[in-house]
C-alpha cells in the first residue's frame, strides 16, 4: 500500500512541477516544451513501477518498467535484428516507395481531371480496407520475406499520401494562378514557384501520418507470416511463451522507431515551411 501512496505522491509532484514550468517566464518557452513531456513521461513510468509492485500485479499480465528495461538490455542484438528486418527493410522501403509513388500519381492526377474523378473515390475505398484482410493476401503473393511487408506498407501509405498531395496542389487561389498566367509561366514553372511550395504543409502532413501507418503495417503483416525475425514475429511468439518482458521490449523498439521517424519528418517540415502560419508559433 505504501508503494501505491508513493505513486500518488509522485503524480502530485510531477503535476506541480509541470504547472510551475508551464506558468514560467516566456523566455524559457523552448526549455519548457522539452521538459514538460519528459517530466510527464518519467512520472508515468515511475507510477507504473510503483503501482505494479505495490498491488502485486502478476508479471505475466503487466511487467514493471524495470523488468522491461532489463529484457531490452539483455536482448539488444536480437532486437536490433528485429528492428532491421521490420523497420529498415519492410517499413522504410514500403514507406519510400508508397509515398514517392503517391506524389508522382498526384502530379499526374493534377494534369487529368478524368483521373482525379476516377482515382480519388477508389482511394477512399482502398483506405477503408482493413489491414487484417489485405495483409494475408499480400504475404501469399510476395512470400514471407520483407518484400511482402513492404507491399503491405505501400498499400497503407499510398492513398493517404495521395489525398494529401492532391489537396495541397489545389491549395492556391484563383488570383495567384491568374498572376502566374500573366507572367506567361508554364505548368512546370507554376508548379515549382507557386503550387508546390503551397502544397508543402499538406505533403508533410501526409508524410507524418504515413510514418505511423508504415510501422503498423509492417508489424501487423508479420503476424501472418514471417521468417524468424521481426518485431511482429517477436511479439507473436513471445506472447505464446508468456514472455511479457520481451513483448514490451519489442513494443519499446517500435515506439522509439515511430517517435524518431515522426520527429524527423516534423523537423524537416519546420525547416522547409518556416514561413507557414502553423510554424510561427512553434519557434
Amino acid at each position: 500500500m505504501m508503494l501505491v501512496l508513493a505513486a500518488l505522491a509522485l503524480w502530485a509532484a510531477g503535476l506541480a512541477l509541470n504547472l510551475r514550468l508551464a506558468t514560467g517566464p516566456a523566455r524559457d518557452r523552448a526549455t519548457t516544451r522539452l521538459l514538460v513531456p519528459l517530466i510527464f513521461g518519467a512520472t508515468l513510468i515511475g507510477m507504473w513501477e510503483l503501482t505494479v509492485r505495490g498491488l502485486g500485479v502478476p508479471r505475466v499480465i503487466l511487467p514493471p518498467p524495470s523488468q522491461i528495461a532489463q529484457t531490452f538490455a539483455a536482448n539488444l542484438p536480437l532486437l536490433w535484428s528485429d528492428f532491421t528486418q521490420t523497420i529498415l527493410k519492410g517499413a522504410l522501403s514500403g514507406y519510400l516507395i508508397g509515398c514517392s509513388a503517391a506524389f508522382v500519381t498526384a502530379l499526374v492526377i493534377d494534369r487529368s481531371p478524368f483521373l482525379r474523378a476516377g482515382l480519388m473515390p477508389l482511394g477512399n475505398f482502398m483506405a477503408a480496407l482493413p489491414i487484417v484482410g489485405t495483409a494475408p493476401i499480400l504475404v501469399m503473393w510476395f512470400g514471407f520475406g520483407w518484400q511482402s511487408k513492404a507491399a503491405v506498407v505501400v498499400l497503407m501509405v499510398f492513398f493517404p499520401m495521395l489525398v494529401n498531395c492532391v489537396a495541397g496542389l489545389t491549395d492556391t487561389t484563383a488570383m495567384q494562378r491568374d498572376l502566374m498566367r500573366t507572367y506567361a509561366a508554364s505548368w512546370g514553372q507554376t508548379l515549382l514557384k507557386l503550387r508546390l511550395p503551397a502544397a508543402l504543409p499538406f505533403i508533410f502532413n501526409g508524410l507524418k501520418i504515413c510514418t505511423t501507418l508504415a510501422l503498423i503495417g509492417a508489424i501487423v503483416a508479420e503476424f501472418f507470416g514471417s521468417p524468424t525475425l521481426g518485431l511482429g514475429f517477436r511479439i507473436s511468439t513471445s506472447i505464446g511463451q508468456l514472455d511479457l518482458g520481451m513483448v514490451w521490449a519489442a513494443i519499446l523498439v517500435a515506439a522509439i522507431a515511430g517517435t524518431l521517424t515522426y520527429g524527423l519528418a516534423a523537423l524537416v517540415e519546420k525547416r522547409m515551411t518556416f514561413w507557414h502560419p502553423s510554424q510561427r508559433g512553434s519557434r
Side-chain angles (χ1 to χ4, degrees), residues 45-46 49 57 67-68 116 187-188 272:
I45 293 174
E49 180 80 23
V57 178
Q67 180 187 347
I68 298 172
R116 179 181 303 178
W187 178 84
M272 295 188 66

Side-chain angles (χ1 to χ4, degrees), residues 67-150:
Q67 180 187 347
I68 298 172
Q70 292 173 0
T71 305
F72 182 86
N75 294 275
L76 280 177
L78 181 61
L79 291 172
W80 174 255
S81 299
D82 292 338
F83 171 82
T84 302
Q85 176 72 18
T86 303
I87 306 299
L88 299 184
K89 292 183 178 179
L92 183 59
S93 59
Y95 177 81
L96 294 176
I97 294 172
C99 291
S100 301
F103 179 74
V104 174
T105 305
L107 295 179
V108 176
I109 288 177
D110 184 68
R111 298 284 287 172
S112 173
F114 172 77
L115 288 177
R116 179 181 303 178
L119 280 180
M120 297 309 292
L122 178 62
N124 295 328
F125 171 77
M126 295 297 295
L129 290 178
I131 184 177
V132 294
T134 56
I137 298 174
L138 294 176
V139 169
M140 292 177 61
W141 287 357
F142 296 97
F144 294 106
W146 63 267
Q147 293 86 351
S148 59
K149 286 67 184 176

Side-chain angles (χ1 to χ4, degrees), residues 18-258:
N18 272 346
L19 289 175
R20 184 185 180 97
L21 289 172
T23 57
R27 65 177 180 273
D28 299 329
R29 186 181 303 169
T31 304
T32 300
R33 285 201 306 267
L34 177 63
L35 288 179
V36 167
L38 291 178
I39 293 172
F40 182 77
T43 302
L44 287 182
I45 293 174
M47 290 183 62
W48 179 356
E49 180 80 23
L50 294 171
T51 303
V52 167
R53 293 187 180 276
L55 297 178
V57 178
R59 298 194 173 189
V60 295
I61 296 178
L62 182 64
S66 57
Q67 180 187 347
I68 298 172
Q70 292 173 0
T71 305
F72 182 86
N75 294 275
L76 280 177
L78 181 61
L79 291 172
W80 174 255
S81 299
D82 292 338
F83 171 82
T84 302
Q85 176 72 18
T86 303
I87 306 299
L88 299 184
K89 292 183 178 179
L92 183 59
S93 59
Y95 177 81
L96 294 176
I97 294 172
C99 291
S100 301
F103 179 74
V104 174
T105 305
L107 295 179
V108 176
I109 288 177
D110 184 68
R111 298 284 287 172
S112 173
F114 172 77
L115 288 177
R116 179 181 303 178
L119 280 180
M120 297 309 292
L122 178 62
N124 295 328
F125 171 77
M126 295 297 295
L129 290 178
I131 184 177
V132 294
T134 56
I137 298 174
L138 294 176
V139 169
M140 292 177 61
W141 287 357
F142 296 97
F144 294 106
W146 63 267
Q147 293 86 351
S148 59
K149 286 67 184 176
V152 173
V153 172
V154 169
L155 185 62
M156 286 196 67
V157 306
F158 179 82
F159 289 104
M161 187 66 189
L162 177 65
V163 170
N164 278 275
C165 289
V166 171
L169 291 174
T170 58
D171 190 48
T172 54
T173 64
M175 183 178 295
Q176 290 171 329
R177 294 190 294 271
D178 289 340
L179 179 62
M180 295 299 292
R181 280 193 288 267
T182 61
Y183 292 152
S186 64
W187 178 84
Q189 291 172 326
T190 303
L191 176 69
L192 294 177
K193 300 296 184 179
L194 172 64
R195 304 179 67 203
L196 193 56
L200 283 179
F202 293 85
I203 293 173
F204 278 107
N205 184 58
L207 290 173
K208 290 188 294 184
I209 292 173
C210 291
T211 57
T212 56
L213 292 177
L215 188 63
I216 294 171
I219 292 176
V220 172
E222 289 181 344
F223 279 84
F224 299 97
S226 174
T228 57
L229 285 175
L231 296 175
F233 171 82
R234 194 67 52 205
I235 292 171
S236 178
T237 56
S238 297
I239 287 178
Q241 299 167 357
L242 296 180
D243 186 1
L244 269 294
M246 178 59 77
V247 171
W248 281 96
I251 293 173
L252 178 60
V253 173
I256 293 174

